[in-house]
């Protein structure tokens, strides 16, 4: 037993002397804070990759990675609605800030950190090293797990409709996510094959290989259930959807101002969308919020009326307010940095816009107009006649009635009788029969209701579909492929430059990409398993393969053994009694 122990010591000394592995040292240092060679341990054939405690925490790392990936993907795909999130946050906290960007940075940092730990772990496993996650990384992993899970739960509760965006995103990203997942599984096959070949216990082999093969087979076959309107035969793509500026061009100028609508027209937009409120003295003006505090300087001009309903102000009072300084101060969109100094100055000098001004502009530019018309409060003088007053302003503007997309459902029959040229528009899905009975010619739907089948069904009945608010290129591409007639967007200037949908491909091209990806992955994984099988049959521990050492290594190994044997013999030649008195009368210990 003593000789065997010394042989192990000699072996360790030799490995420390000859095994120069800076890459492994770097991996172990970053993962375990074990920078020196003698601090790390290699997994011997037949052994598990780590102790039970480390194995369980590696599973925690995997769970944290998955949750942080879902969190990051969710928030990245929610980019289309960042402005809505910031607006909701503004209503909660009382001041404007790009909270959406903060959340994106947090999600990216969490995912980047846990992904780095997972990559380090996989690399260490591929090198046959045992895992020993440092305590600081364990704390970091728990933080990533808790924050990601908490964020997903909170978002599901407060913004659950955004999961529809994630569902839609898979229709365009799924083919590419499939390739990424197959590539990741191919890389993961290296450590899986290594430990599968090294395990002598059949049960452990099944435990290692079964989950891996199940996931791999699922990924190989998942394209059979994929659906995307952007995978279609050549020549079947419909015309590009028309672009309606959401409150004008709110990324280039203050929303609902005359400058914002001018920017939409300059960018080539096909229509203008707005929100109409009736002032206390009966002047329809453009304002989205129920109060004036977000988009005007009402706090400075009328400090005691900051939270008062916008409809309770007379037009004389509204004319005193600035509707542009907030835009240059708060910078509600990230693209603000691209504006020239002249544009910023023009934006800062904007005032509240009348509906009449918007209609005259649309009439001159031959653009369609759609707007939400808000009912005044109960004690408003025009509470009972708000629709009539709005119609009067429309008629006075002399705009062609066919340019008005009438969205309000109240008093629709009356509006049809006095303005038969309006394009009657409905704000939700309904049976085609009911829509035709009410002379509805257009649906104005949230993009989350997008369905190629429904759009085609309504189109067959001569009912077109407008989707709102679509600002991300991938979402616009999906609406284009689904056959939408038009979209309401914050970025007319960007979508106007698109000449074809993103991710557009034919079914044949997709099948070829799918088959080649799976075949290449299967070939690589098979070669990796064969390589590890060939390598493990040549291990020194295997009886069928002798140990081949270089002469220098062999001589050093032999010298160390001889020295150990000599020390062992000297130790055995000493008296075995506990204490022996020597010639000088001192007591000698057999242990010494």
């Amino acid at each position: 037993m003593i000789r065997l122990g010394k042989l192990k010591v000699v072996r360790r000394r030799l490995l420390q002397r000859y095994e120069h592995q800076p890459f492994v040292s770097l991996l172990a240092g970053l993962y375990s804070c074990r920078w020196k060679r003698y601090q790390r341990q290699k997994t011997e054939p037949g052994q598990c990759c780590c102790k039970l405690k480390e194995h369980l925490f590696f599973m925690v790392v995997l769970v944290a990675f998955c949750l942080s990936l879902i969190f990051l993907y969710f928030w990245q795909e929610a980019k289309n609605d960042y402005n809505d999130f910031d607006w909701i946050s503004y209503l909660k906290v009382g001041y404007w800030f790009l909270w959406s960007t903060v959340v994106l940075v947090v999600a990216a940092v969490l995912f980047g950190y846990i992904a780095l730990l997972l990559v380090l772990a996989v690399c260490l496993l591929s090198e046959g090293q045992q895992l020993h996650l440092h305590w600081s990384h364990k704390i970091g992993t728990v933080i990533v797990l808790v924050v990601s899970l908490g964020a997903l739960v909170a978002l599901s509760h407060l913004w659950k409709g955004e999961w529809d965006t994630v569902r839609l995103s898979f229709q365009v990203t799924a083919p590419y996510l499939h390739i990424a997942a197959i590539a990741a599984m191919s890389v993961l096959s290296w450590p899986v094959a290594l430990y599968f070949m090294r395990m002598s216990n059949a049960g452990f082999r099944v435990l290692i290989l079964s989950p891996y093969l199940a996931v791999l087979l699922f990924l190989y076959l998942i394209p059979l259930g994929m659906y995307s309107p952007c995978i279609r035969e050549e020549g079947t793509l419909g015309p590009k959807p028309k672009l309606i500026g959401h409150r004008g061009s709110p990324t280039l100028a203050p929303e609902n101002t005359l400058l914002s609508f001018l920017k939409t027209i300059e960018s080539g937009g096909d229509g203008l969308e707005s929100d109409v409120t009736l002032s206390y003295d009966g002047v329809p003006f453009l304002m989205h919020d129920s109060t004036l505090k977000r988009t005007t300087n009402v706090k400075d001009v009328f400090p005691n009326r900051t939270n008062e309903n916008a409809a309770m102000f007379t037009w004389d009072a509204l004319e005193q307010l600035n509707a542009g300084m907030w835009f240059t101060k708060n910078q509600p969109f990230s693209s603000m940095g691209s504006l020239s100094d002249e544009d910023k100055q023009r934006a800062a000098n904007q005032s509240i816009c009348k509906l009449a001004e918007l209609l005259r502009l649309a009439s001159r530019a031959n653009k369609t107009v759609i707007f939400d018309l808000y009912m005044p409060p109960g004690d408003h003088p025009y509470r009972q006649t708000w629709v009539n007053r709005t119609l009067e302003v429309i008629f006075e503007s002399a705009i062609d009635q066919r340019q008005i997309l009438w969205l309000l459902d109240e008093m629709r029959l009356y509006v049809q009788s006095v303005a038969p040229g309006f394009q009657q528009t409905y704000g939700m899905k309904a049976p085609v029969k009911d829509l035709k009975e009410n002379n509805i010619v257009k649906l104005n739907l949230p993009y989350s209701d997008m369905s190629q089948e429904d759009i085609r069904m309504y189109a067959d009945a001569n009912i077109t579909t407008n989707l709102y608010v679509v600002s991300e290129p991938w979402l616009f591409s999906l609406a284009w492929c689904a056959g939408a007639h038009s979209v309401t967007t914050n970025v007319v200037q960007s979508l106007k430059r698109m000449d074809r949908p993103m991710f557009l491909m034919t079914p044949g091209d997709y099948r070829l990409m799918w088959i080649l990806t799976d075949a290449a992955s299967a070939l690589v994984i098979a070669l990796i398993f064969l390589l590890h099988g060939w390598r493990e049959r040549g291990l020194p521990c295997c009886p069928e393969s002798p140990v081949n050492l270089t002469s220098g290594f062999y001589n050093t190994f032999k010298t160390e053994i001889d020295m150990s044997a000599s020390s062992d013999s000297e130790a055995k030649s000493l008296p075995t009694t506990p204490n022996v008195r020597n010639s000088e009368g001192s007591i000698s210990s057999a242990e010494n």
Side-chain angles (χ1 to χ4, degrees), residues 359-381:
L359 295 176
R360 286 194 292 269
L361 177 65
S363 179
R364 291 195 303 268
N366 193 27
K367 304 297 181 183
T368 57
V369 177
I370 182 172
F371 53 84
D372 290 307
L373 181 58
Y374 300 142
M375 178 183 288
D379 54 348
H380 194 280

Side-chain angles (χ1 to χ4, degrees), residues 312-535:
M312 303 307 289
F313 287 76
T314 64
W315 179 247
D316 288 339
L318 294 170
E319 281 188 307
Q320 300 178 44
L321 301 178
N322 179 287
M325 286 191 299
W326 72 276
F327 179 75
T328 56
K329 178 182 177 182
N330 295 333
Q331 298 189 357
F333 292 91
S334 58
S335 61
M336 279 286 298
S338 62
L339 297 182
S340 65
D341 293 337
E342 181 183 355
D343 284 339
K344 291 181 180 179
Q345 185 175 0
R346 291 178 64 192
N349 293 326
Q350 292 299 298
S351 57
I352 296 177
C353 182
K354 291 181 180 180
L355 173 62
E357 294 177 292
L358 171 63
L359 295 176
R360 286 194 292 269
L361 177 65
S363 179
R364 291 195 303 268
N366 193 27
K367 304 297 181 183
T368 57
V369 177
I370 182 172
F371 53 84
D372 290 307
L373 181 58
Y374 300 142
M375 178 183 288
D379 54 348
H380 194 280
Y382 288 86
R383 170 74 175 187
Q384 304 302 323
T385 58
W386 55 297
V387 175
N388 302 73
R389 177 58 188 144
T390 304
L391 289 173
E392 289 176 7
V393 173
I394 295 176
F395 296 150
E396 290 171 2
S397 69
I399 189 173
D400 189 337
Q401 290 188 8
R402 291 172 296 180
Q403 294 178 241
I404 301 295
L405 306 180
W406 186 261
L407 186 58
L408 186 68
D409 200 41
E410 294 187 38
M411 300 177 62
R412 188 179 292 276
L413 292 178
Y414 170 75
V415 172
Q416 290 181 6
S417 64
V418 298
F422 286 0
Q423 297 188 51
Q424 295 298 321
T425 306
Y426 197 58
M428 63 181 67
K429 291 182 179 180
V432 172
K433 180 181 178 181
D434 295 344
L435 297 175
K436 299 297 287 186
E437 288 177 354
N438 289 279
N439 299 315
I440 302 297
V441 297
K442 182 180 284 291
L443 291 178
N444 186 52
L445 305 175
Y447 71 81
S448 56
D449 288 346
M450 186 189 312
S451 167
Q452 185 180 18
E453 292 75 15
D454 290 344
I455 291 175
R456 185 182 297 116
M457 176 187 67
Y458 290 125
D460 291 340
N462 293 321
I463 299 174
T464 59
T465 303
N466 178 72
L467 301 174
Y468 67 92
V469 172
V470 176
S471 298
E472 285 297 299
W474 71 265
L475 193 55
F476 179 67
S477 299
L478 190 62
W480 189 346
C481 294
H485 177 264
S486 60
V487 299
T488 302
T489 179
N490 290 325
V491 288
V492 171
Q493 70 279 7
S494 298
L495 300 186
K496 192 67 177 180
R497 293 193 293 266
M498 291 182 61
D499 55 2
R500 71 187 305 270
M502 301 170 61
F503 313 111
L504 182 64
M505 65 178 75
T506 65
D509 291 339
Y510 177 59
R511 282 193 296 270
L512 180 62
M513 182 177 70
W514 168 30
I515 294 173
L516 289 179
T517 300
D518 288 0
S521 169
L523 178 61
V524 169
I525 292 173
L527 291 176
I528 288 175
F529 270 83
L530 290 174
L531 174 63
H532 279 296
W534 174 76
R535 288 180 61 187

Side-chain angles (χ1 to χ4, degrees), residues 47-87:
Q47 291 183 348
C48 188
C49 63
C50 52
K51 297 179 181 178
L52 178 61
K53 181 180 177 181
E54 293 294 332
H55 180 78
L56 293 176
F57 221 92
F58 179 71
M59 300 305 296
V60 174
V61 172
L62 279 177
V63 173
F65 172 81
C66 294
L67 289 176
S68 64
L69 176 61
I70 295 173
F71 177 32
L72 179 61
Y73 183 83
F74 175 95
W75 199 250
Q76 175 63 31
E77 297 309 309
K79 187 178 179 181
N80 185 81
D81 301 321
Y82 279 1
N83 189 253
D84 293 341
F85 178 82
D86 293 332
W87 182 70

